[in-house]
Amino acid sequence: MNILITNDDGINAPGISLLAEAAAQFGNVTVVAPASQCSAMSHRITLDRPMGLRKHEWGMDGVTAYSLDGTPADCIRAALDAIMPEKPDVVLSGINHGYNVGYDIAYSGTLGAAFEAVMNGVPAMAFSNAMHSPLDIAETYLTDIIRELT
């Protein structure tokens, strides 16, 4: 399985590392995440400037990682149009630092990335964790959730 991962908290966020580690058990993982924090960007895309792309050493077998100077939706578009040699089987977005519930989903860059994937014919899942909470509960159940939903 080919898995694309992004988030809205940026390439260095702890949640994306945990998500990539769990996803790597199910196939080849490509991470394309914003170079910096992009919370509350919703489904915004960049049209007014070039975006820089940088390869990252992820330190995990089966994971290739890039940061993009753009939004989470830009990350999905760049991965589908230029970075990945073939369309991914699934997109995983997160793990967001803070819940995405209720009206928050309208503003969420994490959800904006998932919506962009779905609009391009790729199934997507978004993951969130309570603000300022440890990721240990997510770590406990993440593999089982991914297995169940893919």
Side-chain angles (χ1 to χ4, degrees):
M1 183 177 337
N2 291 313
I3 303 165
L4 172 58
I5 294 180
T6 195
N7 69 0
D8 71 357
D9 294 320
I11 189 76
N12 296 313
I16 200 168
S17 296
L18 182 60
L19 189 55
E21 182 179 348
Q25 298 174 50
F26 299 96
N28 297 314
V29 173
T30 302
V31 174
V32 182
S36 61
Q37 175 61 253
C38 286
S39 291
M41 291 274 182
S42 190
H43 198 156
R44 177 182 172 212
I45 58 172
T46 303
L47 301 173
D48 61 344
R49 63 176 174 79
M51 293 175 284
L53 181 70
R54 192 178 124 215
K55 188 163 183 165
H56 282 260
E57 288 303 320
W58 203 256
M60 209 179 293
D61 288 338
V63 178
T64 305
Y66 302 88
S67 64
L68 181 73
D69 182 27
T71 69
D74 290 332
C75 291
I76 298 300
R77 293 171 62 94
L80 296 178
D81 293 345
I83 298 169
M84 296 184 77
E86 58 187 55
K87 190 181 267 192
D89 298 298
V90 67
V91 167
L92 307 179
S93 186
I95 299 172
N96 191 64
H97 180 69
Y99 289 135
N100 285 312
V101 296
Y103 291 118
D104 292 347
I105 67 168
Y107 299 107
S108 170
T110 302
L111 273 288
F115 295 148
E116 183 65 28
V118 170
M119 287 174 54
N120 282 278
V122 182
M125 293 176 265
F127 297 86
S128 300
N129 196 55
M131 187 78 73
H132 307 297
S133 293
L135 289 166
D136 59 333
I137 294 173
E139 187 172 13
T140 301
Y141 297 104
L142 193 55
T143 302
D144 291 334
I145 291 169
I146 294 169
R147 181 180 297 112
E148 182 71 24
L149 296 176
T150 55

